[in-house]
Amino acid sequence: ESGFDVVSYFPTFEDPDCNSCGQGNGDFEVDYQDTSEDWWNIVDSINPVAIITFSRGMMLNQWELEAKYVNYIQWVDDFTAPFQPTPAPPDSTLPIDSARFSNLPMDSIVSQIFASELDLYPFIDEASGAGNYLSEFMGYHGVWYKNLFDFDPNPLTSCYIAGHIHVGGQVDWETGFEGAKISLREVIKKLNEILPVSGDLNQDGVLSILDFYLLITVLSGDYELNDIEFHIADVNFDSKVDIFDLIIISDTLTLAF
């Protein structure tokens, strides 16, 4: 009930508790070409505002937040030819072996997981990449996609946060589920600091009486909203800007005063 949809895509494996799991089936199966094709199709269709990619890490109980991802030319082989990414390196806009970086709220995720007293060891890996295999490939795609919007953010389509978490192979399902929820909550907190204030039509960072009067001019036909302003003014998320949005803004201002 935070105003965000959480959408998940994942492969399936014949034995979900496998040790040597193989390629799997479905979205993001362990194959460079399949993963990349799925990736761009999905992000183009849903325009995610934030991305966390997950994969299994070492056979421990760690919650490892990967700080960086490298544009390698040489990767660990996958299961089906071609065994390497095509092209390699995957990102032609950066030099070989250059890095992109996570901007997940890593410190707060680590702090909250420690505070939860779950059987998890959370930490930030700043020393190396994410393993030079499909985990790093996925993590790189996430921050690569996010970086596409760094210099031209648009509240309607931008991705603001991305990063990868390695989940230890000894983490049980229930603990992993709780760790994922904590991580999502921290990402949502950060998003609420970044995204435009709902109803802030003049985009000065504060919902005020000026926004109320501006919306009155919109409803009276004296001002036409652009796409971004429409998104901000639709405070009840019903894809319309009308008297109901004005009432919500009025009630919010009344409560604030």
Side-chain angles (χ1 to χ4, degrees), residues 141-158:
H141 273 64
V143 294
W144 180 11
Y145 179 75
K146 179 261 173 190
N147 289 158
L148 295 177
F149 302 95
D150 284 354
F151 301 104
D152 187 24
N154 180 331
L156 296 176
T157 59
S158 289

Side-chain angles (χ1 to χ4, degrees), residues 105-208:
M106 293 184 285
D107 289 330
S108 62
I109 291 173
V110 168
S111 174
Q112 289 302 310
I113 288 180
F114 268 128
S116 73
E117 298 185 351
L118 290 169
D119 184 24
L120 285 176
Y121 172 61
F123 68 98
I124 301 168
D125 178 7
E126 297 181 347
S128 60
N132 198 214
Y133 192 35
L134 261 294
S135 298
E136 183 138 30
F137 192 70
M138 287 277 289
Y140 191 93
H141 273 64
V143 294
W144 180 11
Y145 179 75
K146 179 261 173 190
N147 289 158
L148 295 177
F149 302 95
D150 284 354
F151 301 104
D152 187 24
N154 180 331
L156 296 176
T157 59
S158 289
C159 182
Y160 294 90
I161 298 172
H164 187 83
I165 298 175
H166 260 128
V167 180
Q170 292 184 356
V171 176
D172 62 51
W173 292 103
E174 291 77 14
T175 303
F177 183 57
E178 293 303 316
K181 287 196 292 183
I182 291 170
S183 302
L184 285 167
R185 290 191 192 107
E186 294 308 305
V187 166
I188 288 170
K189 288 179 187 177
K190 184 173 179 180
L191 281 172
N192 284 328
E193 296 172 0
I194 296 172
L195 292 172
V197 176
S198 184
D200 178 23
L201 273 172
N202 64 358
Q203 300 179 60
D204 64 355
V206 180
L207 182 63
S208 69

Side-chain angles (χ1 to χ4, degrees), residues 229-242:
E229 292 167 336
F230 185 95
H231 172 78
I232 294 170
D234 180 21
V235 295
N236 63 354
F237 308 111
D238 65 353
S239 300
K240 295 181 289 186
V241 173
D242 54 24

Side-chain angles (χ1 to χ4, degrees), residues 68-82:
K68 69 178 181 180
Y69 319 90
V70 180
N71 191 34
Y72 288 118
I73 193 170
Q74 188 68 35
W75 300 74
V76 176
D77 284 350
D78 65 19
F79 294 93
T80 303

